[in-house]
Amino acid sequence: MIGLVSLLPTTTILRMLNISKIREGFPILQRTVNNKPLLYLDNASTSQKPLVVINSLVKYYKNYNANVHRGIHTLSQEATDMFEEVRTKLQQHFNAKHAHEIIFTRGTTESINLVASSFSQLLNKGDEIIISQLEHHSNIVPWQLVCEKTAAKLKVIPINDKGELLLEEYEKLLSSKTKIVAINHVSNTLGTINPVKNIIEKAHQYGAAVLVDGAQATPHIEVDFQDLDCDFYCTSAHKMYGPTGVGILYGKEKWLTKLPPYHGGGEMIKEVTFEKTTYADLPYKFEAGTPNIAGVIAYGVAIDYINKISLKNITFYENELLEYATKQLLNIPKLKIIGNATQKAAVISFIIDGIHSSDIGSIIDKLGIAVRTGQHCTQPIMQYFNISGTIRASFAIYNTKEEIDVLVIALQKAILMLS
Ligand code: 7TS
């Protein structure tokens, strides 16, 4: 039923989505902070977790706790089956060609470091890596480490005042020296949705691989790995209603086969002697050591949760919130929105003339409101806009227009106090 809602008028969709029912599924939203109802607008940092996800963690430890891929005993087999079912679920959710192209990691940061470290073995002095000014530090620093190790060069796609990538400059950076382009799908600070399909197509014309940092995309928009034709895609469960400490690296089979392992250890080998070790087949070659089994199983439950509502409906509803918030925030004198891209996801960053963002953050925290303030691990964006930080409100399916009204009133109060 819910899958059909995109065909219906807005008011009907919003009624059918029944946000108050959705909110009831998130226990933390019942609590108070500083004697005020919690108003959680820091979803780009991490989303809250529905009870079904929380319960799945407890259920695993109560009923199936055993290591995976190791034992012939029943518990180990049950845990292994549940764990591997999630790999298949993620393959289907993101439309990867093979389940073995899904590697479980600790999250986006580890996924990017895995690719950077393994890919560095294929690079030579003078090879080039392209990133952008919009990247989170976790898609900058690993590539700088690679450049230090290999003497490859880092090139940066610049942005415009709206916070969009300058694609004509990107094309100028591409050449036969380009070996990999690493780019985010959605900016965590400005909300810009980057035209990654186009970026990938252009890179492929030069034979370069493309890694997409999708940490901020997968909670908000549909992502299809085969349609994008990306070589690598990284994301974290905890921003999409799942637990912390788990995420995935998707890699095309041909790349994962070619790349050397990242971590060495148990379960990533075929045979070990002191003379030589041979590696396990995909995906295990990249999964050394005991994984976050409970986390992976709970990630599967989070994916089911999202699909029950449907990503189309999540995108639709969050766009409503984004539009409403933009309009209401712009009514506040001295407030300036940073990042006005034509395509944006559920993130809005702003500054208030003459007031430090962290002062606003502290005051509205007293009113029960959680936003993130500062540089959001994107110092190059701050350098571009010549600001010390922003106040960032980021939305999830359980947020409401009424909450945005509360935010606006709180901001007005804070500005009065600080002016
Ligand atoms: N890439 C992007 C675009 C991100 O937004 C983040 C986290 C990461 C990578 C790293 O993800 P992790 O799960 O490995 O930590 N972003 C944020 C944020 O915006 N506020 O807190 C964390």
Side-chain angles (χ1 to χ4, degrees):
M1 184 79 164
I2 268 174
L4 298 173
V5 299
S6 314
L7 303 170
L8 300 168
T10 313
T11 45
T12 319
I13 296 173
L14 297 182
R15 256 203 319 275
M16 283 177 71
L17 270 176
N18 199 346
I19 302 300
S20 24
K21 188 101 201 294
I22 286 175
R23 290 179 66 84
E24 281 168 21
F26 287 80
I28 207 167
L29 298 180
Q30 320 304 322
R31 70 161 280 186
T32 54
V33 169
N34 298 321
N35 296 321
K36 306 276 183 204
L38 167 64
L39 201 176
Y40 189 77
L41 294 173
D42 194 18
N43 295 286
S45 291
T46 197
S47 69
Q48 295 303 341
K49 321 302 172 200
L51 191 59
V52 279
V53 168
I54 300 167
N55 282 346
S56 71
L57 292 165
V58 176
K59 198 165 148 198
Y60 164 74
Y61 284 117
K62 272 174 130 175
N63 300 296
Y64 314 101
N65 177 46
N67 213 328
V68 289
H69 308 130
R70 282 155 172 85
I72 53 151
H73 62 79
T74 304
L75 280 193
S76 173
Q77 285 179 8
E78 283 178 6
T80 304
D81 288 348
M82 290 177 72
F83 181 87
E84 288 301 328
E85 266 172 35
V86 179
R87 201 187 302 275
T88 310
K89 196 186 291 283
L90 287 161
Q91 175 209 349
Q92 288 162 356
H93 181 77
F94 291 118
N95 193 28
K97 193 163 180 192
H98 307 289
H100 60 248
E101 293 174 320
I102 305 289
I103 311 293
F104 288 116
T105 64
R106 284 192 296 137
T108 308
T109 303
E110 189 176 61
S111 300
I112 298 172
N113 276 278
L114 187 166
V115 177
S117 168
S118 295
F119 204 92
S120 71
Q121 313 251 10
L122 310 180
L123 293 176
N124 296 305
K125 188 173 174 199
D127 285 343
E128 292 180 358
I129 298 166
I130 299 180
I131 59 169
S132 89
Q133 181 122 25
L134 282 185
E135 300 315 308
H136 187 280
H137 295 163
S138 58
N139 200 27
I140 301 175
V141 185
W143 301 110
Q144 289 174 324
L145 292 170
V146 168
C147 288
E148 272 174 32
K149 201 162 86 180
T150 63
K153 273 198 195 138
L154 196 65
K155 302 267 164 168
V156 182
I157 311 170
I159 55 174
N160 64 19
D161 291 348
K162 288 165 83 182
E164 294 168 328
L165 297 177
L166 293 176
L167 293 178
E168 60 283 7
E169 296 302 318
Y170 166 56
E171 289 193 42
K172 286 186 209 156
L173 294 177
L174 281 167
S175 77
S176 58
K177 289 186 199 158
T178 314
K179 296 297 174 239
I180 188 160
V181 176
I183 195 89
N184 69 35
H185 198 161
V186 171
S187 158
N188 65 310
T189 299
L190 307 181
T192 312
I193 303 179
N194 290 314
V196 285
K197 196 171 170 179
N198 183 334
I199 288 169
I200 292 163
E201 203 185 316
K202 296 260 155 51
H204 284 170
Q205 286 166 10
Y206 291 86
V210 182
L211 173 144
V212 181
D213 167 358
Q216 298 292 342
T218 53
H220 307 296
I221 57 176
E222 282 181 327
V223 175
D224 180 324
F225 294 157
Q226 288 187 80
D227 178 57
L228 288 178
D229 199 26
C230 51
D231 300 285
F232 303 102
Y233 198 101
C234 310
T235 194
S236 303
H238 71 96
K239 296 186 199 285
M240 41 195 309
Y241 310 110
T244 52
V246 62
I248 57 163
L249 164 67
Y250 157 81
K252 276 187 187 159
E253 185 184 59
K254 70 164 187 188
W255 279 113
L256 294 180
T257 306
K258 197 168 170 186
L259 293 184
Y262 177 45
H263 290 148
E267 291 304 309
M268 53 73 75
I269 52 88
K270 266 195 184 124
E271 207 176 306
V272 177
T273 66
F274 286 117
E275 289 69 41
K276 186 172 168 55
T277 291
T278 50
Y279 305 123
D281 292 331
L282 294 176
Y284 310 112
K285 174 178 146 187
F286 290 103
E287 292 182 356
T290 301
N292 182 350
I293 305 165
V296 165
I297 291 168
Y299 191 10
V301 176
I303 294 290
D304 288 341
Y305 179 83
I306 284 177
N307 285 332
K308 213 166 144 201
I309 299 170
S310 109
L311 263 165
K312 270 202 177 65
N313 296 327
I314 291 175
T315 308
F316 178 89
Y317 179 66
E318 290 178 348
N319 278 345
E320 288 270 311
L321 292 180
L322 185 65
E323 244 174 66
Y324 184 74
T326 306
K327 205 166 125 221
Q328 299 306 314
L329 287 172
L330 284 175
N331 287 332
I332 300 178
K334 295 201 226 167
L335 185 147
K336 184 174 169 209
I337 291 178
I338 305 292
N340 293 291
T342 313
Q343 299 287 325
K344 272 180 82 166
V347 172
I348 187 162
S349 252
F350 52 93
I351 53 172
I352 290 157
D353 200 18
I355 302 179
H356 204 276
S357 57
S358 60
D359 292 340
I360 297 271
S362 307
I363 292 181
I364 67 174
D365 173 57
K366 298 277 178 295
L367 303 169
I369 302 174
V371 291
R372 186 170 173 191
T373 59
Q375 305 183 327
H376 317 295
C377 303
T378 54
Q379 288 184 12
I381 295 183
M382 302 303 140
Q383 286 150 15
Y384 176 85
F385 287 100
N386 197 19
I387 51 180
S388 60
T390 74
I391 302 152
R392 181 186 70 179
S394 49
F395 307 113
I397 189 67
Y398 40 72
N399 291 124
T400 63
K401 288 186 181 171
E402 290 72 26
E403 287 183 318
I404 292 167
D405 293 338
V406 173
L407 170 71
V408 168
I409 293 167
L411 287 170
Q412 283 164 333
K413 268 191 199 158
I415 293 168
L416 261 183
M417 285 171 73
L418 293 165
S419 297

